[in-house]
Structure formats: structure tokens, C-alpha cells
Amino acid sequence: MSHTLGVRQAQKQKTRQALLDAALALLEEQSLSSLGLREVTRAVGIAPTAFYRHFHSVADLGVALVDEALGSLHPMVRTTVSTADGDERIARAVELISGHVRTHPAHIRFLARERHGGVQPVREAIREQLARFAEEVKAELAKDPEAAGWDDDDLLMLAHLYVDQMISTASLFLEAMEAPDASEAERARVTRVATRRLRLIGIGRQHWLT
């Protein structure tokens, strides 16, 4: 009996992931607010009623996509913030973001579009996830000797600057990759812009309390 339950649970998880993957693929060309439940189930090859065994609504599926997308982004943000001091480390951080965009373009596109999109639960889920990122980043920044004398509000403000810049940089690399005239020169331009922005945050951090 337990084996049968295990097989059923594995199949349910497989179907759930197939729905997420199908939705992400369909969202390459449209926003979540225009995505139909039947489109997703047709792509997976299941009956529309079976959708509700996994998600309450398309918006609920969108929230699950937020968790998946930011789950893949989480290590990148943490690593980037921990290395975003000094020109050499900033360069490595920007390269890390660029590589992440090449590996997960659909996730980055989904976040960029839906962060200010028309589905409120998804907007709120993204905002809450990024706020948690900022709190985690603040905790990391507080360990730095340069944080001596900083209060919690200022550290949180700095953390939000880093998180916002990571998201912005990822979007810039995605736009460069998808541009009709995408080229190595355009990617190099985005790299320079991202590097300068991170450097500017670092300079501001060094002189904030002086």
C-alpha cells in the first residue's frame, strides 16, 4: 500500500511540475493575466478538471512559479552580495548574473514581466520574496566590519539596493540576449553598466557615515 501511495505521489508531483513547465513555456509570449487554464492543461495532455488537483487557479500556479523562479535566483543573489566589494569581485558577480540569465532566461523573463503585472497575488508574492531576500542580505551585510555604526534601517536600505540591482542587471542581460541585433558588443555594454552601478553602490556604502 505504501509503495502504491509513493508511486501516486511521485506521479502527482511529476504532473504538477509538467504544469509549471508548460505554463512557463507559454509565458514566453504572453503575460500571466492572459494565460488560460485550458492552454496549460492542453500542453500537458490532461483534462482541465485535473488542473485543480494541483492548483486552485492560474494565479496560484503563478505564485508557485514565483517560488520556483526565485528559488533558482536565491543562490545567485546571496553569492553576488557576498562578493560585491572590490572591482575583481564585482566583475565575478556580474559574470555570475550573466551566466544565470543564460541558464534560466524564462524565469528571469517571468519575474521581469510579472513583478509589475496584472495578477495581484503574483505581484505580492514577488514583493514578499524580494523583501525576504533583502532581510537575508541585511544579515550578511551586518557581519561586515564596514557595517559598524550602521543602524538596521540603513542596512536594510542598502540590502534593498543590492537586491534591486541584481534584478535590474538580470533584466538588462535578458534584454541584450533577446535583442534582434544581439551581439557580444551589447553584452559587453551591459556588463560595463552593471559593473559601474555596483561600484557606485559600493562607493556610497564606504562613505555613508562620513
Side-chain angles (χ1 to χ4, degrees):
M1 178 65 72
S2 61
H3 174 71
T4 301
L5 289 175
V7 170
R8 288 177 179 173
Q9 186 60 34
Q11 183 58 47
K12 183 177 181 180
Q13 182 58 39
K14 182 179 179 180
T15 301
R16 184 180 189 276
Q17 187 60 52
L19 288 166
L20 290 169
D21 293 344
L24 193 62
L26 290 166
L27 290 169
E28 294 275 350
E29 303 296 336
Q30 62 183 307
S31 65
L32 186 66
S33 60
S34 66
L35 182 67
L37 179 154
R38 289 179 180 276
E39 286 183 85
V40 181
T41 54
R42 188 183 306 118
V44 176
I46 62 174
T49 53
F51 178 91
Y52 296 105
R53 298 174 190 167
H54 307 277
F55 303 102
H56 299 301
S57 63
V58 172
D60 185 37
L61 180 149
V63 171
L65 279 175
V66 171
D67 292 338
E68 184 176 82
L70 286 174
S72 69
L73 198 60
H74 182 91
M76 183 199 73
V77 173
R78 291 287 297 273
T79 301
T80 298
V81 171
S82 68
T83 61
D85 285 314
D87 288 349
E88 182 179 349
R89 284 175 290 177
I90 286 176
R92 290 202 302 268
V94 172
E95 183 59 31
L96 179 65
I97 297 170
S98 175
H100 186 88
V101 172
R102 288 195 297 270
T103 305
H104 302 282
H107 280 149
I108 300 302
R109 186 180 303 106
F110 169 74
L111 290 173
R113 177 182 290 146
E114 301 302 331
R115 187 179 183 184
H116 305 291
V119 181
Q120 183 177 351
V122 173
R123 290 199 313 270
E124 291 176 352
I126 294 173
R127 184 169 61 250
E128 290 169 4
Q129 287 267 13
L130 294 181
R132 285 198 288 271
F133 269 130
E135 289 288 351
E136 293 175 2
V137 169
K138 185 190 81 169
E140 291 297 316
L141 293 173
K143 300 174 185 178
D144 197 311
E146 291 185 5
W150 286 61
D151 62 30
D152 281 350
D153 287 343
D154 284 352
L155 278 174
L156 185 59
M157 177 180 65
L158 179 62
H160 275 291
L161 285 174
Y162 276 122
V163 171
D164 286 345
Q165 187 53 45
M166 296 309 101
I167 300 297
S168 175
T169 297
S171 294
L172 286 174
F173 274 119
L174 182 64
E175 290 172 8
M177 186 174 73
E178 295 182 333
D181 57 346
S183 64
E184 189 61 30
E186 179 61 13
R187 181 176 175 277
R189 185 192 69 80
V190 172
T191 298
R192 288 194 300 273
V193 169
T195 299
R196 289 168 66 86
R197 289 179 179 178
L198 276 174
R199 187 179 295 141
L200 185 59
I201 294 174
I203 292 171
R205 178 187 182 188
Q206 293 168 12
H207 297 283
W208 180 248
L209 297 180
T210 60

